[in-house]
Amino acid sequence: MTELQRYAQKALGLIDLTSLNTNDTEQDIIDLCNKANTDFGSVAAVCVYPKFVKVARSSLNANGLNHVKV
């Protein structure tokens, strides 16, 4: 892993992906969670409205991202 890749990995681990739109759908949240993992690592968390917590957790778990917080 190059130095740049290590920096990217560290930065990703500090980022929260957020979707707090009033018109969000379950599919929007699933799409957001699908972006939580990259070639350089995963984000720290996804931030969604409470009604989408179960959808987000399920989607993250399905992608092997059990460590990503919701």
Side-chain angles (χ1 to χ4, degrees), residues 8-59:
Q9 186 177 38
K10 184 167 181 117
L12 281 166
L14 301 171
I15 292 174
D16 294 349
L17 290 181
T18 302
S19 189
L20 298 173
N21 301 306
T22 56
N23 60 342
D24 278 338
T25 65
E26 287 189 4
Q27 188 60 52
D28 293 328
I29 303 308
I30 292 167
D31 293 343
L32 178 74
C33 291
N34 287 338
K35 296 176 185 174
N37 198 30
T38 72
D39 292 339
F40 301 108
S42 60
V43 298
V46 290
C47 182
V48 297
Y49 281 122
K51 70 180 184 177
F52 293 119
V53 168
K54 284 176 125 177
V55 172
R57 180 79 274 152
S58 294
S59 181

